[in-house]
Amino acid sequence: MESFKGQSVIDFYKRFSNDMDCLAYLAEKKWSNGFKCCKCGHDKFTVRKKNLARDCNMCHHIESPTANTMFHKVKFGIHKAFGIIFEMSATTKSISAAQMARRFEVSYPTAWMFMHKVREAMASSEKHPMKGDVLVDEFVYGGKEDLKQGRSTDSKKKKIVGGIELDEKGGVKRAYFKVIKNYGSGELRKLFDSHISTDARVVTDEWTGYMPISKEFNIRREKSNTRTFFQINTIIHQLKSWLRSVYSWMHDWHIERYLNEFSYRINRSVYKDNIFDNLIGRLLSHKHVGLKDIVVSA
Ligand SMILES: [Zn+2]
């Protein structure tokens, strides 16, 4: 089976015209390295025509293509789920849950919930820290001060620290963000520990919070109004305007997932053609996530 490539809506709906097309894709991908019964380990099976589930020839345990994955219990249909994932992966700016609900004829909570599952799957593995030239800056989101750069002590606003890795031409290669409680070095370093290599050449503004971190990381501090920060300021501006268009129901524990989505799209933009297939793979290998996990997790 060939994996789906590209961003054409026409191609997409040609390839996936109903639930069965999508289930076949999932089954192929899920068992691409062969089938092994999860109950007894046997590798021979019979395929059930109705939902392409595999019936173990030894113990007759039945496993559907969606079992033990994030597609488990997607009651609104796998075809719509594929459509939403395509929408979230192929476009440069994803739409809000309210718009998604209307376009796919599902309820608002259904769209909202499923989109959060997809964002969960978009989370970074934190296995590939940023290297080379990296710019770091902190900012706030929320309220009327949105457009202002820099630190704010307003407790209602979300404090975020972001970093970008530059490519050879000085363009943005990757971007990561962390929500922080304050601008102390203990909080700021969460971004460094998760996403920045210790040998990266990091530039920050002159905020003293970065000083203790420079013991372990290679940090150069510069006045924040220099041209150096142009790229990261642009990304932060894009992030804020995107958040304003998609982000409702604002709760502290949700913003991380929006940041996942924003980063995921930037970081995979060089592999745009494979982004849908990559995301399907991530949802397949991710365990089932329930409402509790989405709403309660911090
Ligand atoms: Zn079995």
Side-chain angles (χ1 to χ4, degrees):
M1 180 199 68
E2 231 184 283
S3 54
F4 178 81
K5 286 191 175 70
Q7 295 152 76
S8 158
V9 179
I10 308 279
D11 287 351
F12 181 81
Y13 285 105
K14 238 187 236 166
R15 173 89 182 253
F16 304 107
S17 60
N18 53 46
D19 282 351
M20 275 316 254
D21 292 343
C22 304
L23 279 174
Y25 198 84
L26 290 183
E28 279 277 356
K29 220 173 154 59
K30 183 176 189 180
W31 292 301
S32 58
N33 296 321
F35 170 81
K36 204 174 179 193
C37 173
C38 64
K39 286 279 182 282
C40 76
H42 190 67
D43 60 0
K44 302 279 188 301
F45 58 89
T46 313
V47 177
R48 296 208 152 190
K49 281 209 175 107
K50 203 183 115 223
N51 62 353
L52 303 181
R54 296 190 171 187
D55 186 340
C56 169
N57 286 355
M58 188 70 86
C59 75
H60 292 289
H61 173 72
I62 296 165
E63 185 180 333
S64 72
T66 58
N68 312 318
T69 77
M70 268 197 178
F71 291 102
H72 185 56
K73 286 186 177 166
V74 169
K75 294 196 183 77
F76 55 95
I78 212 77
H79 190 218
K80 288 183 180 184
F82 265 49
I84 292 174
I85 295 166
F86 181 69
E87 193 74 53
M88 290 177 78
S89 62
T91 51
T92 43
K93 285 178 183 168
S94 180
I95 56 177
S96 70
Q99 285 172 298
M100 202 69 99
R102 282 193 294 274
R103 290 187 60 171
F104 289 91
E105 298 173 4
V106 296
S107 71
Y108 175 76
T110 297
W112 183 89
M113 175 71 184
F114 187 70
M115 287 173 81
H116 269 304
K117 285 188 185 185
V118 177
R119 288 182 187 115
E120 188 76 21
M122 285 171 164
S124 161
S125 66
E126 302 190 359
K127 282 180 191 153
H128 309 284
M130 295 188 283
K131 301 174 292 194
D133 291 311
V134 172
L135 298 173
V136 170
D137 205 359
E138 67 289 338
F139 57 99
V140 289
Y141 177 71
K144 284 175 184 160
E145 255 187 287
D146 271 4
L147 295 172
K148 239 170 88 179
Q149 293 285 331
R151 296 170 294 276
S152 162
T153 47
D154 186 333
S155 60
K156 281 179 201 151
K157 296 184 208 307
K158 309 261 181 293
K159 299 172 185 70
I160 300 170
V161 57
I164 60 169
E165 178 184 320
L166 299 175
D167 62 21
E168 307 79 50
K169 290 173 190 159
V172 179
K173 193 173 177 189
R174 290 190 288 164
Y176 291 106
F177 303 91
K178 280 273 182 206
V179 178
I180 50 177
K181 294 188 189 82
N182 55 59
Y183 300 111
S185 57
E187 287 290 298
L188 289 170
R189 71 168 300 144
K190 285 178 179 172
L191 179 79
F192 288 78
D193 290 337
S194 299
H195 298 296
I196 301 177
S197 166
T198 46
D199 47 335
R201 297 177 295 274
V202 185
V203 180
T204 68
D205 61 19
E206 293 182 306
W207 172 241
T208 52
Y210 292 110
M211 282 175 75
I213 309 171
S214 63
K215 282 177 197 142
E216 290 151 76
F217 288 85
N218 177 6
I219 298 176
R220 193 177 83 234
R221 289 156 67 231
E222 266 190 37
K223 274 207 164 56
S224 61
N225 57 1
T226 61
R227 276 194 58 80
T228 319
F229 293 92
F230 174 75
Q231 303 280 27
I232 191 160
N233 288 344
T234 307
I235 290 288
I236 291 170
H237 184 77
Q238 283 172 9
L239 169 66
K240 285 177 174 181
S241 67
W242 175 70
L243 281 174
R244 270 195 295 275
S245 71
V246 295
Y247 193 29
S248 58
W249 272 37
M250 229 192 276
H251 293 302
D252 279 337
W253 55 77
H254 294 143
I255 195 160
E256 296 273 9
R257 287 199 198 87
Y258 289 90
L259 299 176
N260 287 348
E261 181 181 352
F262 187 82
S263 292
Y264 178 82
R265 249 196 302 273
I266 289 184
N267 299 351
R268 298 213 56 98
S269 57
V270 276
Y271 319 103
K272 253 191 190 118
D273 271 1
N274 301 318
I275 201 164
F276 172 81
D277 185 63
N278 174 271
L279 205 43
I280 292 288
R282 282 176 174 232
L283 276 119
L284 272 177
S285 55
H286 209 295
K287 67 171 181 16
H288 169 61
V289 171
L291 181 65
K292 261 192 201 155
D293 303 302
I294 296 292
V295 179
V296 180
S297 70

